[in-house]
Amino acid sequence: MTAAAPVGVGAKRGLLVLGALGAVAAVTLAGGVRYGLLLAIGLGIGFVLEGLRFGFAGPWRAMILRREPAGLLAQLLAIALVAIVAFPMLSTHGAELSGAQAPIGFAMVGGAFVFGAAMQIVLGCGSGTLVNAGSGNPVSLLALPFFCIGSFFGALNLVWWTDLGSLPILVLHGTFGLAVTLGLLALVAVVALAVAAPGTRRVPARLIVAAALLAALALANLAVAGQPWGVVYGLGLWVAKGATALGADLSGSAFWSAPGNAARVGQSVLTDITSLTNFGIIGGAFLIAAWKRGGLSQPLPKLPARAWIATVVAGLLLGYSSRLAFGCNVGAFFSGISTGSLHGWAWFVAGFAGSMVGVRLRPLLGLEGRA
């Protein structure tokens, strides 16, 4: 019995690897090499986020509550690494590649603030919710479908919100833009180190490796997809597809009836760029969790009813607000800043302010038991 146990574990792990390779091969056969690569990139992102415990919501919480900057510094490092390569790529291949560009406006700033608060309630941003759901976290499994629904309805109402007023799209370009971006990232790092609690200024090697790997994968996504890594669009698209399958008419929506979006609603989800990386993130987190634990069984947390209701509401707000803010920590903060869009910086300020509110709300909602 003792000798057979390792064999069983090895066989299960072998099946996990074969399953991942089979999924990439199936998507490649169905849609082409480009789409198979995007799924593989998503799997890699899921491996890094779950396997090396790299996240966005958790490090912001650690900085706000305990003045521990390591996770935030790792985020800034990853963004800087992407920017160093992405700025020249966008300058020389502007016809094939696009940055994560969006205008700064009332809806964008307000959406980022609400998103920051909501992500601290469920302890998961866009990518974090996907990772946590993939690894079997019950709270994220409940929040994810409502995140998707919120993203769909946020897109339905997006034009109304953006009509409240916004600036033109402001983008930093070229060597000067890169220098400004790296300077601002360094400034944030200096501030984080200045306010850090004693003994917390060292960034673990794990997070440095994770930042480098995540940057490489984000750049691979830019090269293969032609656009930066994003999360939110795919979530709303899944609901739009479901709604049309049930007979809903989206022709009255300025967002979903736009030619590009209408085409994606009618096409296979296996040829949608953001959906594939989202599927990969979920799958990558699942593989790492199953590899480590041998399964996904996590005990259902003993939370009061108001905590579960708060999870549903926070999930809806995550989706709705991120659509108004033109992305989450990934599509707006990470990809926006690393490709020169100033809305990424506005998102960061508003989202961090919202997180400061969110971490205070958790005890009131009965979720403080979650670490």
Side-chain angles (χ1 to χ4, degrees):
M1 293 295 291
T2 304
V7 176
V9 171
K12 289 179 180 178
R13 289 178 171 176
L15 289 174
L16 290 172
V17 174
L18 288 175
L21 294 174
V24 172
V27 171
T28 301
L29 291 173
V33 174
R34 181 187 185 217
Y35 299 107
L37 284 174
L38 287 168
L39 179 62
I41 290 168
L43 285 166
I45 293 171
F47 293 159
V48 171
L49 296 179
E50 174 68 13
L52 295 176
R53 302 189 305 283
F54 185 103
F56 291 94
W60 288 19
R61 172 180 169 83
M63 188 67 199
I64 292 166
L65 291 181
R66 300 186 297 276
R67 293 186 292 134
E68 295 174 358
L72 175 59
L73 293 173
Q75 294 170 17
L76 299 175
L77 173 61
I79 294 171
L81 292 173
V82 174
I84 289 169
V85 180
F87 269 71
M89 286 176 66
L90 292 168
S91 295
T92 57
H93 296 83
E96 301 94 31
L97 306 177
S98 62
Q101 302 174 2
I104 299 172
F106 293 111
M108 192 240 97
V109 173
F113 180 88
V114 172
F115 185 91
M119 80 173 184
Q120 294 300 339
I121 291 172
V122 300
L123 281 187
C125 60
S127 60
T129 301
L130 294 176
V131 167
N132 293 338
S135 61
N137 181 284
V139 171
S140 291
L141 284 169
L142 176 61
L144 180 56
F146 292 98
F147 196 145
C148 298
I149 294 169
S151 177
F152 169 74
F153 281 104
L156 281 179
N157 303 144
L158 181 60
V159 172
W160 186 91
W161 284 102
T162 54
D163 283 345
L164 294 177
S166 62
L167 298 172
I169 294 176
L170 303 172
V171 182
L172 298 169
H173 297 284
T175 303
F176 174 76
L178 176 59
V180 171
T181 297
L182 295 179
L184 289 172
L185 289 169
L187 177 61
V188 175
V190 168
V191 172
L193 289 169
V195 302
T200 65
R201 293 182 175 88
R202 188 182 68 85
V203 180
R206 162 182 63 83
L207 289 179
I208 296 174
V209 171
L213 290 174
L214 193 64
L217 290 163
L219 287 167
N221 187 92
L222 176 61
V224 175
Q227 65 184 46
W229 174 30
V231 171
V232 174
Y233 180 85
L235 304 181
L237 179 65
W238 301 345
V239 178
K241 283 178 170 292
T244 55
L246 294 174
D249 180 9
L250 300 182
S251 61
S253 165
F255 183 91
W256 293 113
S257 64
N261 296 329
R264 291 186 187 94
V265 171
Q267 293 167 355
S268 169
V269 73
L270 297 180
T271 58
D272 176 62
I273 290 167
T274 312
S275 293
L276 284 170
T277 50
N278 285 351
F279 291 148
I281 292 170
I282 295 171
F286 168 85
L287 289 171
I288 292 295
W291 185 284
K292 287 182 175 179
R293 301 197 299 263
L296 297 182
S297 58
Q298 291 191 29
L300 193 67
K302 295 180 180 179
L303 299 173
R306 71 179 185 278
W308 295 110
I309 295 171
T311 298
V312 171
V313 174
L316 288 169
L317 289 175
L318 283 170
Y320 196 93
S321 62
S322 60
R323 186 65 278 163
L324 303 190
F326 300 103
C328 60
N329 297 65
V330 170
F333 169 56
F334 186 97
S335 294
I337 292 176
S338 64
T339 59
S341 181
L342 289 181
H343 93 284
W345 288 106
W347 197 105
F348 172 51
V349 173
F352 200 89
S355 289
M356 295 176 71
V357 174
V359 296
R360 267 55 181 198
L361 287 175
R362 282 176 55 79
L364 303 177
L365 298 172
L367 282 157
E368 195 53 47
R370 294 184 63 218

